[in-house]
Amino acid sequence: MNDYLPKKDLEPDPDPKRPSNTRLAIWIIVGAIGLYLLGSGIWGIITAG
C-alpha cells in the first residue's frame, strides 16, 4: 500500500450531511423512550387502568 502518503490522504472525505455518532445515539435513545411511553399509554387506555 502507499505508506508514503499521510493517513489523511488515504481516507475518504467524511460526508458533511451525515450526523455524528453521538447525535445518532441520542436520537435512538430518545426515540426508544418516546416509543415506550407511547406504548405504555396506549396499553393503559386499552386495559382501562
Side-chain angles (χ1 to χ4, degrees):
M1 185 142 176
N2 297 331
D3 292 333
Y4 55 87
L5 289 175
K7 185 175 181 180
K8 181 182 175 209
D9 292 341
L10 295 175
E11 295 175 350
D13 292 335
D15 186 8
K17 293 182 180 179
R18 185 183 178 282
S20 66
N21 290 339
T22 305
R23 185 171 290 190
L24 191 61
I26 290 171
W27 274 103
I28 290 172
I29 292 168
V30 169
I33 292 170
L35 191 62
Y36 169 76
L37 292 173
L38 184 65
S40 64
I42 292 172
W43 181 257
I45 292 171
I46 290 173
T47 59

